[in-house]
Amino acid sequence: MNIMLNKILYIKKSIFLFLLLIVNYSIGAQTLKVISGKIIDSKDNLPIPFVHIQVKGTGVGTISNKNGCFSLKIPAIHHEKKLLVSFIGYEPFESEIKSINKTLQIKLKSIDYQIGEVIIMPDSTLLTLLEKAFNKIPENFPDFPTSLTGFYRESVKTTNNDYAYFSEAVTQTYKSSYKKSNVPGQVKIIKSLINEFPKIDSLKTRFYGGVFEASNGDVVLRRGSYINPKNFKNYSYTLEGITKFNDNEVYIISFDTKNDSLSGTLEGRFYLDKASLAYIYLEYQLTPKGLKKFSSNISIKRNVKMLKKTINYVKLRDKWHFKHSKSTEHFLKGNHIIWVKEDEYLTTKVQIDSVKPISLGDRLEYGDIFSEKAKDYYSDDYWEEYNVLKKDSLLDKQLKMLYDTTQSKKILTQKTKYKKKTGKKNSFLKTILNMSFGYGLSYYPVYADKGIYNINYHNSDEIISLNEELDAFRYSMNLLIQINYDLNYRWSLNFAITSSLTSKLNIETYDIGASYRILLNKRIKPLILNLSLLYSYNCFARNFSTYENNNKFDFGNKTIDAQKLLFAIGYNSGGIKPKVNLEYKFKRRIWLYISSSYYIPFFTKEKLFLKEKSGIVLTRKNANISLADELLNVTYDGIHTTKSHMNFHNYSISLGFILRF
């Protein structure tokens, strides 16, 4: 009876929880408030792009597009807060979120520049001010890791303003503290889409790296050239005046290269908060000298006519965070502009509490072309609760034409000239990006006692005699070179070569196999445990002095006729080598490692080795014969032997660095 009663109660409880879940989901869906609108200048009624629209006191927000339009999705927990609309040089606008029930048209009133005694600030005083702003970066910007939810759009248009394609993604970016400038961010793609316009798209390439904009494109985090005191000599700076942002005074500072007479490559202006000296807005473009240098970069491979960029920061809890960036690039074919590429990134949510790094398996590699994995665009509903950049009127119009039911079937069956590089058609670049190269030193406990070798080799009428006392040794330091190819974030293929650094020894090892990675921590600079299983072929031998040869003779099925020969006595062997590797990310592409391995031989053969040391390098011969060969007589300290009297403890240790692309 009790069992039956318990079952009934359990079923009722399950049904109640299920219904509660449905109700909560329904309520949650209904309480996501969407506020849309347009922001214009109160004087001329022209749209204002890049205006901050933010839930005041939170990291939730968006920015207006080039038409001044915006759309912001606000969770229920923020409905009692205020909407703050602000832009440099304009008076801010505030409104209670709960009182907004229709599409807004917000007119912002501009603020005139304040021109006064600050304009005649001496150059030395201005540079002192700029250096102080630079040194206060760790104070004004987060000195702790942050997580940014953001939206990225990449597009290419013709000179007629027709879109060839656009790709978009909701991203999560893990950023390190602003105390460090050389630590790359981690990026995870949450959702992504792409749309290509076949009639227009004749571009045979796609781009990578843009979704890393919140970290790699952050001029303040990266200590960009024109804000860095090390490069002040390359630019000319002018204090243009003072304006306001959110009722706070802001310095307006321009910089240029005096018609390329200075060494800088950029020109533009940036805005400093007067009280804190925080960077809040930057805009710049390449100078003619900069364009030439940029286009000559072998990794760019395109002729650029113009490249300009703007960057915005937003304040949250007394720290400034990367908010928005937009870059525009014109590139040429011959002397004509054929494409206009635009990248735009928007931070829609800033998380500063309980921030964790992105797991290794979810991280996007910098060289990945995310648009190749994106879904085709079909509706803005695809983004669900995520805030995104509102499309401009041109893109909206083009999408409506594409998806018009009378045209879509015909258009969607056409193909662009761009081909995704998948399977066997992977590009050379992608192959290189999956490779890494290691360099280091390895320690081998190879040892032998001091002893006198007497070796006589008889072949027909030729007799070769070696009589030499060889020194004792207890270890060997070797140069290690390795090449790895990553199959994915877990598995990689490995190949390594080791060669002795001393002339007294001839040590060569060749390892090939696979390794499996385990992430040991979740820091921005991860520590990885690499477990490898390798097949290893080894040669360990002691070198004799150079032998002067005057005759031709046969040795190990090869005819030897070089004048200078190097003989070595030792053994070769083959077997398996389990290996444990610890790797630490030191810089963006450089990893430090330390490893230990244990060699398990399958076979060992004692031999006398020969290398030609004279003649043309590519024609020099290597040969060997067994110490038990009937043509060979070997004594060690006067006792006949078929052993090399070399020994090797099976473990080894190595350390060095790995270069990853």
Side-chain angles (χ1 to χ4, degrees):
M1 184 70 180
N2 288 335
I3 295 174
M4 189 68 180
L5 182 61
N6 287 336
K7 286 184 177 180
I8 293 171
L9 290 173
Y10 177 78
I11 292 170
K12 286 184 176 180
K13 185 177 179 181
S14 299
I15 294 172
F16 173 76
L17 290 173
F18 177 72
L19 292 174
L20 183 63
L21 181 64
I22 293 174
V23 171
N24 284 339
Y25 177 81
S26 177
I27 292 173
Q30 292 173 1
T31 55
L32 187 69
K33 186 166 187 173
V34 181
I35 297 177
S36 299
K38 186 172 184 179
I39 303 168
I40 60 176
D41 190 298
S42 62
K43 288 183 179 180
D44 53 22
N45 290 326
L46 292 176
I48 309 175
F50 310 146
V51 176
H52 291 255
I53 302 96
Q54 185 178 2
V55 178
K56 192 173 181 179
T58 75
V60 177
T62 187
I63 208 159
S64 61
N65 66 10
K66 65 174 65 176
N67 304 122
C69 299
F70 73 92
S71 178
L72 179 63
K73 300 169 184 175
I74 304 174
I77 58 172
H78 298 318
H79 287 183
E80 297 299 319
K81 294 183 172 64
K82 289 185 177 182
L83 187 74
L84 174 63
V85 179
S86 57
F87 191 60
I88 293 175
Y90 288 85
E91 293 180 358
F93 167 87
E94 288 189 17
S95 179
E96 297 285 345
I97 291 174
K98 62 183 178 181
S99 66
I100 301 173
N101 297 313
K102 59 181 180 179
T103 301
L104 294 174
Q105 178 168 293
I106 302 171
K107 293 186 177 183
L108 294 185
K109 184 179 179 181
S110 62
I111 301 170
D112 293 332
Y113 281 49
Q114 297 177 21
I115 301 176
E117 69 278 359
V118 291
I119 299 302
I120 58 172
M121 182 183 291
D123 288 347
S124 59
T125 306
L126 177 57
L127 292 180
T128 301
L129 180 75
L130 297 181
E131 185 172 1
K132 188 176 180 181
F134 181 85
N135 293 332
K136 290 187 72 173
I137 289 175
E139 179 182 334
N140 288 321
F141 293 82
D143 55 355
F144 45 82
T146 54
S147 178
L148 308 182
T149 302
F151 179 77
Y152 172 75
R153 176 181 293 144
E154 172 185 287
S155 63
V156 173
K157 296 189 292 185
T158 68
T159 52
N160 295 326
N161 265 338
D162 291 323
Y163 281 86
Y165 85 90
F166 75 94
S167 52
E168 301 174 332
V170 172
T171 65
Q172 179 188 349
T173 301
Y174 177 87
K175 293 184 70 170
S176 62
S177 162
Y178 276 74
K179 289 181 178 179
K180 300 178 180 179
S181 63
N182 61 347
V183 180
Q186 302 168 359
V187 173
K188 173 185 175 181
I189 299 293
I190 299 174
K191 303 188 82 171
S192 60
L193 62 77
I194 187 172
N195 199 265
E196 298 162 323
F197 298 92
K199 280 190 173 182
I200 302 167
D201 188 9
S202 60
L203 190 67
K204 297 182 180 180
T205 188
R206 292 292 182 264
F207 305 90
Y208 63 89
V211 290
F212 286 78
E213 178 65 17
S215 56
N216 290 22
D218 189 340
V219 171
V220 176
L221 174 66
R222 296 296 178 191
R223 310 305 198 261
S225 64
Y226 57 88
I227 68 169
N228 196 323
K230 293 180 180 179
N231 302 307
F232 282 173
K233 63 181 180 298
N234 298 330
Y235 295 97
S236 173
Y237 298 87
T238 304
L239 181 56
E240 294 186 348
I242 296 179
T243 186
K244 284 190 175 183
F245 177 63
N246 284 344
D247 295 326
N248 295 322
E249 291 188 331
V250 175
Y251 288 124
I252 306 170
I253 299 164
S254 64
F255 63 96
D256 60 39
T257 61
K258 292 185 176 179
N259 295 323
D260 276 345
S261 62
L262 298 176
S263 300
T265 58
L266 302 168
E267 60 187 7
R269 63 168 52 88
F270 53 93
Y271 296 72
L272 294 177
D273 179 71
K274 187 178 179 182
S276 64
L277 295 183
Y279 302 90
I280 61 176
Y281 181 84
L282 308 99
E283 58 183 20
Y284 62 87
Q285 64 181 14
L286 287 171
T287 64
K289 181 189 292 183
L291 287 168
K292 185 176 181 181
K293 185 176 180 180
F294 183 80
S295 297
S296 64
N297 189 325
I298 191 170
S299 65
I300 302 300
K301 295 182 180 178
R302 56 184 184 268
N303 189 9
V304 179
K305 178 67 175 177
M306 184 271 284
L307 194 157
K308 64 180 181 180
K309 185 172 184 177
T310 61
I311 299 174
N312 280 279
Y313 295 86
V314 66
K315 195 173 186 180
L316 176 63
R317 297 191 196 175
D318 297 323
K319 297 289 184 181
W320 291 85
H321 302 264
F322 192 86
K323 177 65 178 179
H324 174 260
S325 70
K326 183 170 184 178
S327 62
T328 304
E329 178 184 347
H330 294 179
F331 51 103
L332 314 175
K333 185 175 183 180
N335 295 320
H336 302 286
I337 299 173
I338 56 170
W339 299 111
V340 178
K341 179 176 178 285
E342 291 185 341
D343 296 336
E344 193 166 7
Y345 171 85
L346 167 68
T347 297
T348 58
K349 183 180 178 182
V350 179
Q351 182 181 345
I352 59 179
D353 299 319
S354 304
V355 173
K356 295 181 179 180
I358 298 170
S359 64
L360 195 63
D362 290 335
R363 294 180 198 174
L364 188 75
E365 294 295 331
Y366 186 78
D368 288 345
I369 301 175
F370 86 92
S371 62
E372 290 191 340
K373 304 174 183 178
K375 294 184 178 180
D376 290 337
Y377 170 82
Y378 58 93
S379 169
D380 281 342
D381 294 337
Y382 172 72
W383 299 118
E384 297 176 323
E385 77 275 15
Y386 294 103
N387 279 303
V388 300
L389 280 161
K390 197 167 181 63
K391 294 179 177 63
D392 63 51
S393 55
L394 289 172
L395 182 54
D396 254 339
K397 181 180 178 181
Q398 203 167 320
L399 281 169
K400 287 176 182 177
M401 291 176 62
L402 175 64
Y403 284 94
D404 182 273
T405 54
T406 60
Q407 301 184 54
S408 60
K409 186 174 181 180
K410 178 182 177 183
I411 295 175
L412 293 176
T413 56
Q414 297 174 341
K415 295 182 179 179
T416 66
K417 293 187 179 181
Y418 171 72
K419 295 181 180 180
K420 294 181 180 180
K421 301 170 180 61
T422 57
K424 295 182 179 179
K425 295 182 180 180
N426 275 341
S427 66
F428 175 74
L429 175 62
K430 195 166 185 178
T431 301
I432 291 297
L433 291 173
N434 285 339
M435 297 181 71
S436 59
F437 302 88
Y439 306 89
L441 297 175
S442 63
Y443 168 85
Y444 280 71
V446 182
Y447 64 96
D449 295 326
K450 189 174 185 178
I452 299 175
Y453 287 90
N454 189 289
I455 300 175
N456 291 291
Y457 174 71
H458 300 264
N459 190 333
S460 300
D461 297 329
E462 300 299 327
I463 299 177
I464 295 176
S465 296
L466 303 172
N467 193 331
E468 190 171 343
E469 184 179 40
L470 300 182
D471 294 333
F473 56 86
R474 290 291 178 266
Y475 66 90
S476 172
M477 294 301 296
N478 311 284
L479 176 65
L480 172 64
I481 299 175
Q482 57 181 319
I483 302 173
N484 309 308
Y485 182 81
D486 295 335
L487 298 174
N488 51 50
Y489 76 96
R490 288 291 190 191
W491 290 95
S492 65
L493 302 178
N494 315 114
F495 175 73
I497 301 175
T498 302
S499 182
S500 177
L501 293 173
T502 175
S503 61
K504 294 182 179 180
L505 296 175
N506 178 23
I507 293 181
E508 296 177 359
T509 70
Y510 301 89
D511 301 332
I512 187 168
S515 63
Y516 181 78
R517 295 176 185 158
I518 300 173
L519 183 65
L520 296 182
N521 67 3
K522 294 185 178 181
R523 298 176 184 172
I524 192 83
K525 291 187 175 182
L527 181 67
I528 290 178
L529 176 66
N530 218 326
L531 304 177
S532 305
L533 184 62
L534 310 166
Y535 175 77
S536 184
Y537 178 81
N538 306 286
C539 173
F540 301 100
R542 308 172 77 174
N543 288 334
F544 291 90
S545 300
T546 302
Y547 181 85
E548 298 290 339
N549 175 54
N550 297 315
N551 300 304
K552 182 185 294 186
F553 63 94
D554 294 330
F555 189 91
N557 297 322
K558 292 185 180 180
T559 300
I560 309 299
D561 58 0
Q563 293 182 346
K564 293 184 178 181
L565 307 175
L566 180 65
F567 287 93
I569 189 168
Y571 63 89
N572 59 19
S573 65
I576 61 171
K577 182 186 288 186
K579 186 177 181 180
V580 178
N581 214 50
L582 275 177
E583 300 175 3
Y584 172 73
K585 193 169 188 177
F586 178 62
K587 289 189 176 181
R588 179 177 175 182
R589 293 186 175 89
I590 299 176
W591 294 64
L592 304 180
Y593 76 86
I594 183 169
S595 67
S596 178
S597 62
Y598 189 83
Y599 177 57
I600 305 171
F602 291 162
F603 67 86
T604 299
K605 297 180 180 179
E606 305 277 353
K607 291 186 176 182
L608 180 67
F609 301 92
L610 179 151
K611 287 184 178 181
E612 294 185 347
K613 300 292 289 181
S614 58
I616 301 173
V617 174
L618 296 178
T619 63
R620 293 177 183 175
K621 300 183 183 71
N622 295 330
N624 62 78
I625 60 172
S626 170
L627 294 185
D629 194 291
E630 61 183 8
L631 300 177
L632 195 64
N633 180 54
V634 181
T635 65
Y636 178 73
D637 286 341
I639 300 174
H640 182 267
T641 183
T642 57
K643 301 292 184 181
S644 63
H645 293 272
M646 280 194 65
N647 296 284
F648 169 59
H649 288 307
N650 294 40
Y651 67 87
S652 63
I653 300 172
S654 61
L655 56 88
F657 68 92
I658 298 172
L659 179 63
R660 283 197 171 97
F661 295 98

